[in-house]
Amino acid sequence: MTPLLLSWGTVDPVGSAARGPVISTFLVFIGLCLLWVFTLASQDDNPERLYITDRSLSPVFNGFALAGEHITVVTLFAAPGAVALFGYDGFASVIADSVLALGVLLLLAQKIRDSGHYTLGGLFSLRAAGPRTRTAAAVVTLVITVPLLMVQLRAAGISAALLIGMSSPAAQVACTVLMGCLITCFAAVADLRGTSFIQVVKVPVTLATLAVVTLLALDTFSWDPGDMLSAAADRSTAPDTYLSPGLWAHTVNLGPVNTISDHIVVILGTAMMPHLVLRIGASRSGRSARRSTSLSVGLAGAFYLLLATTGVAAAAVVGSEEISAVDANGQAAPILLASGVLGHASTWRVVLITLVACVAFLAVLTAVTSVTFAASVSLTHDVLTRTRRSLSGTGEIWAVRLAVVLLCVGGMALSVTFHRYPVEFLVSFSLGVGATCVFPVLVYSFFWPRFNRRGLLWCVYGGLLTCVVLTVFSPTVSGTDYALLPKVDFSWYPLHTPGVVSVPTAFLLGWLGSTRPSGRAMTESQQTDAVKA
């Protein structure tokens, strides 16, 4: 599933009467979150404690935190919108892809932890040590991280503007900058232990909020799920096909192949994110990592199931046409549903909208912090400390803090610069890079002894080049109404995501690079043959 344009027209789901209490409560909540983060901030000079808390997280605690990593502001808004507008296709994409992605992570979690490494650079060095290997890992980490930061911060600004009833482009940019500054302050002092506590709290709060919204919607249909589902179909843009495959928008001629490519990217890419690798590395042991991942599968599965039911409830209560009129991809569905399930004069309506706003802030806060922290650890631990061996523990921590700030500020600047453009396809691009450049390397490193440095470099850089080229010349960049450049057409690759081509290509390049004899080996062989002759 490719989350697309997140851009609302002028709309005020909160209402002028409730806006004051919502904003006041929201600001108090933000202040408490920042205070809590500063309280949890580590003052230790040991980088290992900062990065992975000395691998002291219990399986249950880390399992909740790992589940919280999957709750992002884009997922929170995009998944219910997909179900509300596209019915069966949206539901299948949300549930199937998320569960399978967690299954992939579960298969590799124990091996990742048993390797003793917690960054992509460390994992890439299992079969091919050296600075070139770690540099390749740092490049991949940045390419994955920066697009995610852009989209997360943009979504945070737009959702904040919508919640305060000021959804003009100028207000959205201002909210993006404000949210970006707050999150930068949070990320600059956070460590894995501190963010873990926030992640653990976020999981039950998010699940409870989605459950309450869904139950309130179900109450309007006399607690009959069948009536709510029927109402969702009747109020959709295509009542006859809402519960059948084929309603998903932006399809191309190669529909089934496009769907397969999307699934490959989401399933493999979601499991290979650097911040998830870092959290797996913080487990006490390989068995503990597997237990944590197993727990996160259940919790994240419940989250995605609630997202799907929230989307159905939004279609039934609000209506697909009204949702799509606000946002072409339905990403306003959760907020519109929270605004519509209770009467406008109800105090509980203000409470519910405020709760949704707080959940959205927690989602973007933790998501951006986790992504930037993992990227900063990778850059510092895999690159900087390898070139400056005299860097002390305190110096390394300061380098990580500085890298976090620079990444956040850079992501915020890019988000503001491209605010008017539909850049949500960059999420799929990041997932595609993870699926193409990380998954094959880990599979080869764990299961194929002959995998070597050249195979890894071919796999990483060849796969990355394939992802970039296919994305640039895909319908998400040009040639379609929802593209980045809709008025020009230079696309020749017909699919939205590169996965169906790039992942096999990366596997092939890794195999070719590892099996092809080097020039030195050929010379030595020729010399041996000459001696024998």
Side-chain angles (χ1 to χ4, degrees):
M1 180 177 65
T2 305
L4 297 166
L5 182 60
L6 180 64
S7 179
W8 287 289
T10 302
V11 62
D12 184 8
V14 179
S16 57
R19 185 178 300 116
V22 168
I23 295 176
S24 299
T25 307
F26 184 52
L27 291 176
V28 170
F29 177 77
I30 291 175
L32 291 175
C33 284
L34 292 176
L35 180 62
W36 191 20
V37 170
F38 278 100
T39 302
L40 294 173
S42 174
Q43 304 299 324
D44 204 308
D45 292 338
N46 188 338
E48 292 288 321
R49 294 195 183 99
L50 181 76
Y51 301 159
I52 53 176
T53 66
D54 277 342
R55 295 191 168 98
S56 60
L57 302 181
S58 68
V60 174
F61 185 87
N62 205 30
F64 269 83
L66 187 58
E69 300 282 7
H70 294 274
I71 302 176
T72 67
V73 67
V74 172
T75 304
L76 195 62
F77 289 119
V83 175
L85 296 186
F86 309 128
Y88 176 88
D89 287 345
F91 182 86
S93 179
V94 169
I95 300 299
D97 288 352
S98 59
V99 173
L100 290 175
L102 290 167
V104 171
L105 185 61
L106 180 61
L107 291 174
L108 296 177
Q110 186 166 350
K111 289 189 174 295
I112 291 174
R113 175 58 188 88
D114 287 341
S115 72
H117 298 287
Y118 50 85
T119 63
L120 293 186
L123 292 172
F124 282 14
S125 298
L126 290 174
R127 300 284 183 188
R132 295 175 62 191
T133 300
R134 293 183 177 272
T135 300
V139 170
V140 169
T141 301
L142 282 178
V143 173
I144 291 174
T145 299
V146 173
L148 289 179
L149 287 179
M150 288 178 59
V151 177
Q152 292 282 354
L153 290 173
R154 182 172 182 267
I158 293 177
S159 60
L162 181 66
L163 286 165
I164 64 176
M166 300 172 63
S167 56
S168 65
Q172 292 173 0
V173 170
C175 287
T176 299
V177 174
L178 178 61
M179 294 291 284
C181 292
L182 289 172
I183 293 168
T184 301
C185 294
F186 176 91
V189 300
D191 57 8
L192 189 68
R193 179 178 176 272
T195 54
S196 296
F197 277 100
I198 306 293
Q199 296 281 16
V200 169
V201 170
K202 180 178 70 173
V203 172
V205 170
T206 303
L207 294 180
T209 301
L210 292 175
V212 167
V213 172
T214 303
L215 290 175
L216 288 173
L218 190 61
D219 181 52
T220 63
F221 295 94
S222 302
W223 300 97
D224 189 336
D227 286 350
M228 188 172 73
L229 188 60
S230 298
D234 293 339
R235 301 194 65 182
S236 69
T237 55
D240 296 333
T241 58
Y242 183 79
L243 301 178
S244 303
L247 190 59
W248 184 251
H250 313 315
T251 56
V252 293
N253 294 330
L254 300 176
V257 180
N258 186 68
T259 302
I260 292 173
S261 183
D262 289 350
H263 288 329
I264 290 174
V265 164
V266 175
I267 292 170
L268 300 182
T270 301
M272 296 294 105
M273 292 292 100
H275 57 286
L276 298 183
V277 172
L278 180 66
R279 184 160 296 283
I280 291 294
S283 300
R284 293 175 177 175
S285 63
R287 185 176 180 182
S288 177
R290 189 172 180 83
R291 289 178 58 192
S292 297
T293 309
S294 298
L295 177 60
S296 72
V297 169
L299 293 172
F303 167 65
Y304 286 111
L305 184 61
L306 283 171
L307 286 181
T309 56
T310 300
V312 173
V317 174
V318 182
S320 296
E321 290 188 0
E322 184 173 342
I323 293 172
S324 60
V326 176
D327 166 43
N329 297 283
Q331 298 183 77
I335 298 176
L336 294 176
L337 176 61
S339 176
V341 291
L342 295 172
H344 282 265
S346 173
T347 303
W348 288 108
R349 176 177 175 272
V350 177
V351 174
L352 186 61
I353 294 175
T354 304
L355 192 57
V356 172
C358 292
V359 168
F361 177 73
L362 273 180
V364 68
L365 192 69
T366 51
V368 172
T369 300
S370 293
V371 170
T372 53
F373 184 73
S376 301
V377 170
S378 178
L379 290 174
T380 305
H381 182 71
D382 293 337
V383 178
L384 186 59
T385 58
R386 307 291 167 173
T387 57
R388 296 182 59 188
R389 299 184 182 277
S390 60
L391 196 65
S392 64
T394 304
E396 185 175 341
I397 289 176
W398 276 105
V400 170
R401 302 296 190 196
L402 179 60
V404 167
V405 173
L406 292 177
L407 282 172
C408 285
V409 172
M412 181 172 61
L414 290 172
S415 181
V416 170
T417 302
F418 295 97
H419 180 79
R420 294 180 177 272
Y421 295 90
V423 296
E424 276 66 35
F425 75 93
L426 292 176
V427 174
S428 294
F429 172 72
S430 291
L431 295 177
V433 172
T436 303
C437 301
V438 181
F439 180 72
V441 170
L442 294 190
V443 170
Y444 277 144
S445 298
F446 290 142
F447 301 107
W448 190 34
R450 292 186 61 189
F451 191 54
N452 57 27
R453 180 184 294 105
R454 184 171 56 182
L456 185 146
L457 295 177
W458 283 24
C459 181
V460 170
Y461 289 120
L464 180 59
L465 179 62
T466 304
C467 281
V468 171
V469 171
L470 295 184
T471 300
V472 169
F473 294 100
S474 72
T476 60
V477 174
S478 68
T480 55
D481 294 336
Y482 55 86
L484 177 67
L485 304 171
K487 295 183 179 181
V488 296
D489 185 3
F490 49 81
S491 63
W492 49 261
Y493 177 69
L495 309 181
H496 295 121
T497 53
V500 73
V501 175
S502 62
V503 173
T505 299
F507 271 108
L508 178 61
L509 290 173
W511 178 79
L512 287 174
S514 299
T515 56
R516 182 173 177 268
S518 64
R520 178 179 299 176
M522 291 176 65
T523 301
E524 292 176 352
S525 177
Q526 291 171 357
Q527 291 176 351
T528 302
D529 292 341
V531 170
K532 290 181 179 180

